[in-house]
Amino acid sequence: MTEPRKIIIDTDPGQDDAAAILLAFGSREELDVLGITTVAGNVPLSLTSRNARIVCELCDRRDVKVFAGADAPIKRKLVTAEHVHGKTGLDGPELPEPTMALQPGHAVDFIIETLRGEPEGTVTLCTLGPLTNIALAFQKAPDIVGRVRELVMMGGGFFEGGNITPAAEFNIYVDPEAADVVFRSGVPIVMMPLDVTHQLLTRKDRVARIAAIGTAPATAMVEMLEFFERFDIEKYGSDGGPLHDPTVVAYLLKPDLFQGRECNVEIEITSDLTVGMTVVDWWHVTDRKRNAKVMRHVDADGFFALLTERFARI
Ligand code: BDR
Ligand code: CA
């Protein structure tokens, strides 16, 4: 049997972040969660740090180390998304306040120490929120960049445009300078943009299959999804809302669910109109360096089947 893949989940939970964490927890044979690092994004840092621990406790995983990270983007004022995720970021189910403690120390230092301490090329970074912690770690310790196995991120959008402005996706928009640092760093990137996540609608039949699992984590997840999707249903007029962040973990488990290509991606950081846009050279019309594998298509039924199967294992 192969060793489980070592991952750090950097996140701003968020109901869809919670779904990604559950997917990882349900996949213990394949994934070893070395730690969860939190960042300000969907809601302020104190709430994302609380929510990450709520999710761990919901899944009876008090053993997982949770570190708080950056409470603001590198250069900008924090933009949050309570209009999508609710006041707490994890609105929907009634869940108790967490009792497990945050780890001492800063998430950025945990990321640096872990990458230096583990054998080179063995740690994968899974990012589900703004890239602030990762950029700060790369700036503070450039030696770690070459030690990362892969950075798989939910972020950006190209053919689908943006979801917080016409041009920008939320995670990149919140901290475009951080995204710029990461895309220029040379780290191997797999990008799950809105082009993929907008194909993953939480349709009623899909949610019903998760509800049928009947466990506490699955039931709470359904309540989260039902809260989360109401905003998107109104916005897109669709049956269910797009499920973004679990694509990152699903890719590690079943990469063949996704199709994309290596492209150059640059981040817009100066224009007021398009700040946070991910400019993807999909057609290879420039000779700029291909710095990311950009996904465009996903097998949606296969994705939801995987999610349901793994949620049932928790
Ligand atoms: C991303 O933004 C957040 O609101 C979600 O959690 C996801 O990471 C989607 O644009
Ligand atoms: Ca997120």
Side-chain angles (χ1 to χ4, degrees):
M1 224 189 74
T2 48
E3 288 283 294
R5 185 165 172 170
K6 294 173 190 164
I7 65 171
I8 295 174
I9 301 178
D10 188 72
T11 178
D12 62 338
Q15 294 90 347
D16 64 322
D17 302 71
I21 296 170
L22 256 67
L23 183 56
F25 286 169
S27 308
R28 292 185 83 163
E29 279 173 23
E30 292 103 329
L31 300 177
D32 178 7
V33 182
L34 300 179
I36 294 180
T37 52
T38 60
V39 65
N42 285 323
V43 283
L45 184 72
S46 58
L47 284 171
T48 59
S49 303
R50 161 195 182 263
N51 296 347
R53 288 175 293 145
I54 287 182
V55 174
C56 290
E57 294 191 7
L58 171 67
C59 300
D60 210 8
R61 291 297 306 272
R62 287 170 185 77
D63 60 300
V64 174
K65 297 180 186 154
V66 180
F67 295 84
D71 63 1
I74 292 180
K75 267 178 68 171
R76 296 175 193 257
K77 205 167 155 285
L78 178 65
V79 175
T80 52
E82 285 87 356
H83 59 294
V84 181
H85 300 272
K87 208 161 42 46
T88 67
L90 217 52
D91 279 18
E94 287 283 320
L95 293 170
E97 287 302 311
T99 56
M100 66 189 271
L102 280 170
Q103 296 294 310
H106 196 283
V108 167
D109 295 319
F110 169 73
I111 293 168
I112 294 171
E113 281 155 26
T114 306
L115 281 162
R116 284 180 177 161
E118 296 288 341
E120 187 173 329
T122 61
V123 177
T124 296
L125 300 176
C126 298
T127 68
L128 315 177
L131 289 158
T132 319
N133 286 337
I134 309 299
L136 290 173
F138 285 2
Q139 283 178 329
K140 190 169 175 186
D143 58 288
I144 64 170
V145 176
R147 303 186 65 83
V148 176
R149 173 165 167 185
E150 203 170 33
L151 186 153
V152 187
M153 69 163 71
M154 192 280 133
F158 192 58
F159 296 95
E160 283 286 303
N163 62 354
I164 181 84
T165 73
E169 181 278 328
F170 180 78
N171 289 340
I172 307 293
Y173 179 78
V174 171
D175 198 343
E177 282 75 19
D180 188 46
V181 167
V182 171
F183 276 91
R184 286 180 191 282
S185 70
V187 75
I189 296 174
V190 177
M191 171 174 157
M192 293 292 173
L194 297 176
D195 306 279
V196 164
T197 66
H198 281 182
Q199 296 169 46
L200 299 171
L201 297 180
T202 54
R203 281 188 339 223
K204 284 192 188 61
D205 58 315
R206 291 170 171 159
V207 176
R209 281 192 282 277
I210 299 172
I213 299 169
T215 58
T219 304
M221 193 69 250
V222 168
E223 288 168 12
M224 286 185 216
L225 293 178
E226 283 170 350
F227 181 89
F228 175 61
E229 66 187 17
R230 93 221 174 288
F231 170 79
D232 287 316
I233 292 172
E234 214 170 283
K235 180 167 163 194
Y236 302 106
S238 50
D239 178 6
L243 197 51
H244 308 282
D245 291 339
T247 52
V248 167
V249 180
Y251 174 77
L252 301 181
L253 299 170
K254 276 200 169 188
D256 293 347
L257 290 173
F258 301 90
Q259 281 177 301
R261 57 168 79 151
E262 299 283 342
C263 300
N264 172 266
V265 180
E266 307 268 332
I267 310 296
E268 177 56 58
I269 52 172
T270 52
S271 152
D272 281 343
L273 184 63
T274 57
V275 67
M277 182 176 181
T278 44
V279 180
V280 176
D281 186 5
W282 181 261
W283 302 111
H284 300 153
V285 295
T286 70
D287 54 10
R288 294 199 285 257
K289 192 169 171 281
R290 297 179 190 180
N291 55 353
K293 180 153 194 185
V294 180
M295 295 303 177
R296 188 168 178 194
H297 301 290
V298 57
D299 166 1
D301 289 334
F303 170 86
F304 278 98
L306 175 69
L307 218 66
T308 310
E309 185 218 325
R310 298 307 166 94
F311 286 176
R313 292 189 192 177
I314 302 167

